[in-house]
């Protein structure tokens, strides 16, 4: 897959010791099956950007350890359907917001990766 080559080359360029996995579009059912391999299961949910009592990505990352395997799900344009949200919630996923704005699908993934990098590589670098 073209994306895997791009991710590999970008990882090598930035001296990463692990190459992130990029999956093709899959059904929510398949996603739930795959999720058993992860310690932290999140999904970006645009409705979280519209409420005052929200779960921020930063707050969630404060409770994640550097050894935890994180699964972040980014929905399609238009977001997850109510039925998909219910299935994700029923299977241990946490809804998070990626800031106060609703991001495009392709931007949300980059935002999430940059936030994780910042949290673990910059905020904790002096710890």
């Amino acid at each position: 897959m073209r994306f895997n080559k791009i991710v590999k080359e970008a990882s090598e360029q930035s001296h990463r010791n692990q190459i992130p996995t990029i999956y093709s579009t899959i059904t929510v059912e398949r996603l739930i099956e795959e999720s058993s391999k992860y310690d932290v299961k999140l999904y970006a949910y645009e409705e979280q950007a519209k409420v005052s009592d929200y779960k921020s990505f930063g707050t969630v990352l404060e409770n994640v350890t550097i050894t935890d395997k994180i699964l972040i799900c980014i929905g399609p344009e238009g977001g997850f359907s109510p039925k998909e949200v219910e299935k994700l919630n029923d299977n241990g996923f946490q809804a998070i917001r990626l800031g106060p704005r609703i991001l495009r699908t392709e931007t949300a993934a980059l935002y999430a990766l940059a936030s994780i990098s910042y949290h673990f590589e910059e905020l904790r670098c002096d710890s």
Side-chain angles (χ1 to χ4, degrees):
M1 183 157 114
R2 180 174 174 263
F3 288 126
N4 287 332
K5 181 180 178 189
I6 292 169
V7 169
K8 179 183 180 293
E9 291 171 359
S11 296
E12 289 171 354
Q13 180 182 2
S14 60
H15 304 286
R16 292 185 60 86
N17 60 0
Q18 289 185 322
I19 299 171
T21 304
I22 305 290
Y23 291 98
S24 298
T25 302
I26 58 175
T27 65
V28 171
E29 291 76 20
R30 177 82 171 120
L31 173 65
I32 290 167
E33 288 174 23
E34 289 291 320
S35 74
S36 65
K37 302 173 190 171
Y38 295 86
D39 303 304
V40 180
K41 302 183 288 188
L42 310 170
Y43 68 99
Y45 189 43
E46 65 277 1
E47 295 302 316
Q48 289 288 316
K50 299 176 184 176
V51 297
S52 59
D53 184 29
Y54 60 85
K55 186 87 165 204
S56 76
F57 192 28
T59 302
V60 171
L61 290 178
E62 288 175 2
N63 297 309
V64 174
T65 69
I66 199 146
T67 58
D68 284 339
K69 290 182 73 174
I70 304 170
L71 173 63
I72 302 176
C73 305
I74 308 295
E77 293 295 329
F80 292 104
S81 72
K83 190 173 184 177
E84 290 170 328
V85 167
E86 184 178 347
K87 285 181 183 179
L88 292 171
N89 289 338
D90 289 347
N91 285 279
F93 285 76
Q94 295 179 63
I96 56 165
R97 84 175 208 163
L98 300 177
R101 290 164 202 78
I102 295 174
L103 303 173
R104 293 178 56 92
T105 298
E106 61 273 15
T107 308
L110 295 171
Y111 180 97
L113 289 172
S115 296
I116 292 170
S117 175
Y118 178 76
H119 181 78
F120 286 105
E121 297 171 2
E122 292 298 320
L123 285 181
R124 296 185 177 182
C125 67
D126 295 329
S127 305

